[in-house]
Amino acid sequence: MSERIDPGCVPKRTLYTGEEIPALGIGTFGSDKYTADQISAAVYGAVKSGYRLIDGASVYQNEAQIGEVLKKLFEEKVVTRKELFITSKVWNDCHRNVAESCKKSLADLKLDTIDLYFIHWPFPNYHAPGCDGDARNPDSKPFCVEEFMDTWRQCEQLVDMGLVRYIGMSNMTIPKLEAVLPLCRIRPAALELECHPGFQQQKLFDYARERGIVPIGYCPLGSPSRPERDRTPEDVADTQISEIVEIAGAHGIHPALVCLKWAVQRGQIPIPFSVKESQYVSNLKCVTEDPLTETEMARIAGADKGCRLVKGQVFLWPGATGWEDLWDMDGTITT
């Protein structure tokens, strides 16, 4: 039996309704390196060891296997459905058929309700899983407020139908949020964004929190298992940043755990992924003990490299100049 961390000792984040959810979850994006069975086995072990937040998505192609694991966990009375907070996401090719996509995820997960359902990317630009980094879909197009809001209204209907409890956005920018938030009938409960010491996105992070939107940080360890298509020579490895290494030495822990302590103490929800029991147990345990000092937190804040790792170039449209066009670098929506 793996070590168990008391879920009550894990810090919490508060959604706009006042509901509290865990401040650290288990990710399920196995990149191109792990099978659906390996990932679902990790979810099983993670829940048994104390995890109560599971971050998933239809495009990860493992929800059916995770559904079997959830069924087993409920049958074994390891956990009740109410004790878990489960997310999923609509993929880019289903922006016009959100309910159909959500119902497929519900059926795969063997659930009646998804707790938080995201629009995975803010445009319907589709690519096949595992494609090359130079792959381009000729039907891709830039962000469109009207099309995004059509997708968002379908998500709002999922809440009305009782299929999901909260809805969220992902991979957004401040200009995009400025354009769409005033148009929302149901506000986003959370914003998923790339977030790690080498890419802190402080302005976007602050923008979300000031509006009661909980930031959920993906790639919290710098995503060492991310697909090859997302790697470039100038990328910075978070666990090799000198400040992170020195703080890890002072605490006698792995640099990855410093990244997670920083993320939780800063106020986001990191969602690290690992199939190794020793790693996912230590990932959860580390946020329940031995916090970083204010000085250490300030050192990490000053270590931001502005290094985006998931650049999203496979979503570029004909005529786009580069991946920067996806992220509205000049403060306006790139069209």
Side-chain angles (χ1 to χ4, degrees):
M1 170 65 185
S2 65
E3 181 178 1
R4 186 179 182 278
I5 292 89
D6 179 359
C9 295
V10 177
K12 302 294 187 289
R13 295 282 164 264
T14 305
L15 301 175
Y16 66 76
T17 59
E19 179 177 351
E20 289 188 332
I21 63 174
L24 187 140
I26 182 108
T28 60
F29 174 49
S31 183
D32 307 325
K33 302 193 174 186
Y34 298 97
T35 67
D37 287 337
Q38 285 176 298
I39 293 163
S40 60
V43 170
Y44 179 78
V47 172
K48 289 192 79 170
S49 67
Y51 281 82
R52 294 295 179 263
L53 190 154
I54 303 165
D55 181 79
S58 59
V59 77
Y60 301 163
Q61 298 182 302
N62 54 28
E63 288 188 325
Q65 290 81 358
I66 291 171
E68 292 292 339
V69 159
L70 293 174
K71 179 171 177 275
K72 184 179 177 185
L73 288 163
F74 299 148
E75 288 175 347
E76 293 176 353
K77 299 191 177 354
V78 173
V79 69
T80 67
R81 173 65 186 95
K82 283 189 173 180
E83 289 175 300
L84 291 182
F85 194 88
I86 299 169
T87 83
S88 185
K89 307 175 187 79
V90 60
W91 187 237
N92 306 1
D93 59 344
C94 289
H95 278 203
R96 307 279 77 82
N97 298 290
V98 176
E100 182 181 329
S101 177
C102 180
K103 288 174 181 176
K104 171 76 162 58
S105 288
L106 283 165
D108 285 345
L109 292 167
K110 297 179 168 41
L111 299 176
D112 297 323
T113 311
I114 290 168
D115 295 297
L116 173 56
Y117 195 66
F118 290 95
I119 299 178
H120 204 148
W121 286 82
F123 19 66
N125 303 348
Y126 173 76
H127 75 78
C131 73
D132 183 81
D134 295 324
R136 297 289 180 270
N137 185 329
D139 297 327
S140 293
K141 47 193 170 181
F143 179 80
C144 169
V145 172
E146 290 75 19
E147 287 199 1
F148 181 88
M149 287 310 301
D150 174 75
T151 307
W152 186 254
R153 289 186 185 104
Q154 293 177 66
C155 291
E156 291 175 330
Q157 289 172 358
L158 298 177
V159 179
D160 297 339
M161 296 161 68
L163 299 180
V164 307
R165 299 176 56 233
Y166 297 97
I167 48 180
M169 300 178 184
S170 180
N171 294 303
M172 295 288 276
T173 63
I174 291 176
K176 290 182 177 73
L177 290 169
E178 290 278 353
V180 303
L181 287 180
L183 306 176
C184 297
R185 175 172 64 87
I186 298 176
R187 61 196 280 192
L191 175 72
E192 280 212 8
L193 67 161
E194 181 181 337
C195 222
H196 44 93
F199 190 62
Q200 299 180 20
Q201 299 217 73
Q202 192 67 49
K203 288 183 180 177
L204 180 57
F205 176 86
D206 290 341
Y207 183 93
R209 291 191 77 196
E210 287 163 4
R211 286 154 183 80
I213 302 170
V214 174
I216 298 181
Y218 68 79
C219 298
L221 308 178
S223 192
S225 297
R226 68 189 181 281
E228 291 298 329
R229 66 170 178 267
D230 286 326
R231 298 169 187 259
T232 58
E234 63 272 17
D235 289 349
V236 175
D238 288 76
T239 53
Q240 294 172 13
I241 294 173
S242 60
E243 291 88 346
I244 300 293
V245 173
E246 289 168 19
I247 292 168
H251 286 258
I253 58 176
H254 192 283
L257 303 183
V258 174
C259 296
L260 295 178
K261 287 177 183 287
W262 167 80
V264 170
Q265 288 179 227
R266 184 188 187 215
Q268 66 218 48
I269 298 176
I271 44 172
F273 164 76
S274 178
V275 297
K276 297 174 183 173
E277 182 180 304
S278 61
Q279 290 180 348
Y280 61 68
V281 169
S282 62
N283 287 348
L284 186 62
K285 186 179 181 182
C286 84
V287 303
T288 69
E289 60 187 16
D290 186 27
L292 304 180
T293 66
E294 288 186 18
T295 301
E296 288 168 338
M297 290 293 292
R299 284 194 72 197
I300 297 173
D304 191 355
K305 310 298 181 193
C307 178
R308 185 184 293 278
L309 299 176
V310 179
K311 297 171 177 69
Q313 63 270 36
V314 290
F315 303 120
L316 288 172
W317 51 88
T321 56
W323 63 263
E324 294 85 356
D325 286 355
L326 299 166
W327 304 108
D328 309 331
M329 308 284 271
D330 67 353
T332 58
I333 296 173
T334 304
T335 57

